Amino acid sequence: MDGIHDMGGMAGFGPVDVDAVESGHEGWEARTQVVALLSGGMSRAGIEEIPPDEYLNAAYAERWLMCAERRLVDNGVLAADDLASWSERLESAPDTELPHRENPESLAGLEQLVMTTPLMREPPTPQFAVGERVRVQRMHPEEHNRCPRYVRGVVGEIERIPGADYRPGVPMSPEVLEPVYTVRFDSVDLWGEQDEPAFDLFIDLWQSYLEAP
Amino acid sequence: MSSPHDHDHDHRHYDTPGSRRARSHLEVRAMALEAALVEKGVITTDAIDLFTDAMEHRFGPHHGARVVAKAWTDPEFKQRLLDDGNAAVAELGIGGLEGNVRVVENTDNTHNMVVCTLCSCYPWPLLGLPPIWYKSFAYRSRAVAEPRTVLGEFGVELDDAVRVRVWDSSSEVRYFVLPERPAGTDGMTEDELAALIDRNAMIGTGLVAAP
């Protein structure tokens, strides 16, 4: 989906607030992200489906929360009433203890999961070679994708093939395990001549996003 | 690992700059989500604690700084780091979720900086959770279009002859910048060097200053 999340090249957000580093509530933010991840409530597609006005008015961890609330109810994991009744209890009685549940047998597996680096797969025979010129396809996908608008239609050069991964936004199957390419673009091809000196932009793109120039 | 009960009072306060909702409302919603999921047995408190502790404490820029300091003092390690970042950082016991890393090197004619325009992908094991500015709309929108102007906002001025390379993290690869070693650091130990290196230098929005 070509949503508000695809921000590369947009204007109007002002200067970067370089001093905004810690919120002071990292524990809360991390915990919310973890709850969303472990419960299956988080997905990039779900975040991208947040309506644009809500997306722009929410902070980062807040979007994970919104996504999880919506998905878990939509998927029938929770009932909307579960969230509403807990919110009501916690509002009216702030000292209410949260439920506590442990499963020590699962911890070794979780420890392994959190401390294991997810490596990419070996690519099936790549269609393009390092050094080859490629054009990013014009597209307007309804599904979740990882091909930002600002590179579409532009010609770049394959710099590296880091591995293979499943095409985002479609059901996972061997047919959609594709080579992923690191593609280099010249900033002049992306943005035209600018006041700044030209620079290189590198981005990783799935094979099905690319075509011969 | 700490006891799960240590966290009981940490999550009484949810507050995030940038949000325009009432803080207490967000806090309550996040707590309600955890409560409902644990009550139903979808997730367990000890699993939440394990992951949160990793993201907040076991991952972090102290690891990234160790990697950089070792690369500055051990040319063979540096080569391995640039060739296969995952294997090299694993030698130091570093790795984990969101940690499929590629290391890109700053030189006297190349400056790298990392962004994720679509969300906020970031090498968690090496740098922890991202700073707020990295997740901001201003950084996500502008780093790929006017990197030098953005760098100027961080106080980084580069000679026009330096080629800027911007890495937009769109796949599972997480980019990490190996900054240049500053002058005047000959003879410093790895620990002394690591203390000079801050997070921005490893994202590419900072340089390492001479001591």
Side-chain angles (χ1 to χ4, degrees):
Chain A
M1 190 176 95
D2 287 347
I4 187 66
H5 66 283
D6 182 1
M7 292 188 156
M10 285 178 70
F13 292 118
V16 179
D17 183 0
V18 302
D19 296 320
V21 175
E22 310 284 347
S23 71
H25 295 274
E26 278 66 30
W28 247 116
E29 291 166 340
R31 196 169 182 88
T32 301
Q33 290 180 242
V34 166
V35 168
L37 273 178
L38 289 176
S39 64
M42 159 61 185
S43 79
R44 287 183 181 137
I47 297 231
E48 293 161 12
E49 284 163 10
I50 296 172
D53 56 337
E54 293 182 41
Y55 186 102
L56 291 173
N57 281 302
Y60 183 75
E62 185 178 357
R63 294 195 291 274
W64 286 50
L65 177 63
M66 293 160 78
C67 172
E69 289 171 336
R70 196 165 311 191
R71 271 171 63 88
L72 292 167
V73 171
D74 285 352
N75 294 343
V77 177
L78 296 176
D81 281 355
D82 297 330
L83 293 172
S85 67
W86 265 108
S87 285
E88 208 170 294
R89 277 171 72 182
L90 292 163
E91 292 273 17
S92 57
D95 290 331
T96 303
E97 289 284 321
L98 297 195
H100 187 95
R101 194 187 285 267
E102 298 192 2
N103 180 7
E105 293 76 34
S106 73
L107 285 190
L110 288 168
E111 167 75 15
Q112 172 135 20
L113 179 65
V114 81
M115 300 310 286
T116 300
T117 299
L119 300 180
M120 290 175 93
R121 291 154 204 272
E122 286 296 311
T125 314
Q127 184 183 337
F128 305 108
V130 170
E132 200 170 338
R133 305 279 285 169
V134 289
R135 182 188 305 277
V136 184
Q137 294 185 15
R138 300 299 317 183
M139 59 177 92
H140 189 230
E142 286 179 22
E143 72 274 10
H144 167 68
N145 69 87
R146 297 291 286 176
C147 184
R149 288 186 282 257
Y150 77 91
V151 296
R152 294 181 194 169
V154 184
V155 173
E157 181 183 305
I158 308 284
E159 187 256 353
R160 188 187 261 214
I161 306 175
D165 201 356
Y166 295 99
R167 190 193 320 157
V170 296
M172 206 179 277
S173 78
E175 290 74 43
V176 295
L177 181 65
E178 299 182 4
V180 173
Y181 301 88
T182 305
V183 185
R184 184 189 68 81
F185 296 92
D186 192 294
S187 63
V188 176
D189 294 328
L190 294 168
W191 312 112
E193 294 288 348
Q194 303 192 101
D195 292 341
E196 292 194 9
F199 60 93
D200 292 321
L201 183 288
F202 295 83
I203 185 166
D204 296 331
L205 297 168
W206 274 253
Q207 181 164 284
S208 58
Y209 299 158
L210 302 174
E211 62 191 14
Chain B
M1 223 196 102
S2 59
S3 140
H5 298 284
D6 292 352
H7 293 281
D8 277 0
H9 293 282
D10 293 352
H11 53 91
R12 297 274 178 219
H13 304 282
Y14 191 97
D15 178 21
T16 305
S19 171
R20 292 178 199 167
R21 289 172 210 285
R23 289 165 183 172
S24 61
H25 180 60
L26 265 186
E27 173 181 356
V28 165
R29 273 171 50 194
M31 292 172 76
L33 182 67
E34 175 180 337
L37 288 164
V38 172
E39 186 178 53
K40 294 218 161 178
V42 178
I43 52 177
T44 59
T45 313
D46 51 359
I48 302 170
D49 290 338
L50 186 153
F51 269 67
T52 307
D53 181 60
M55 287 165 72
E56 285 202 281
H57 303 297
R58 296 167 71 186
F59 297 163
H62 55 290
H63 289 311
R66 276 170 60 214
V67 169
V68 172
K70 185 162 178 64
W72 284 350
T73 52
D74 180 344
E76 289 176 7
F77 176 78
K78 176 178 151 183
Q79 195 57 53
R80 293 199 296 280
L81 186 67
L82 295 172
D83 291 344
D84 182 353
N86 291 314
V89 304
E91 293 174 29
L92 306 183
I94 301 166
L97 272 187
E98 296 290 312
N100 183 358
V101 69
R102 173 168 173 196
V103 179
V104 291
E105 182 188 16
N106 286 352
T107 66
D108 53 7
N109 58 24
T110 304
H111 181 87
N112 296 278
M113 73 189 272
V114 180
V115 63
C116 170
T117 60
L118 295 172
C119 42
S120 291
C121 296
Y122 193 72
W124 290 357
L126 289 157
L127 294 178
L129 290 172
I132 288 174
W133 61 256
Y134 185 84
K135 301 181 276 191
S136 71
F137 303 146
Y139 187 75
R140 284 169 52 190
S141 61
R142 294 172 52 229
V144 293
E146 44 179 10
R148 280 179 188 257
T149 307
V150 172
L151 287 172
E153 290 164 12
F154 284 89
V156 175
E157 302 291 342
L158 301 172
D159 191 281
D160 278 1
V162 174
R163 184 81 173 182
V164 172
R165 302 198 298 176
V166 180
W167 300 84
D168 187 356
S169 314
S170 53
S171 77
E172 293 311 306
V173 179
R174 299 288 171 265
Y175 292 93
F176 176 90
V177 177
L178 175 57
E180 274 196 286
R181 180 173 178 164
T185 56
D186 291 354
M188 287 178 75
T189 66
E190 275 183 50
D191 285 347
E192 289 165 342
L193 290 167
L196 301 176
I197 300 155
D198 74 5
R199 172 162 50 193
N200 288 10
M202 298 179 278
I203 306 172
T205 55
L207 305 175
V208 181

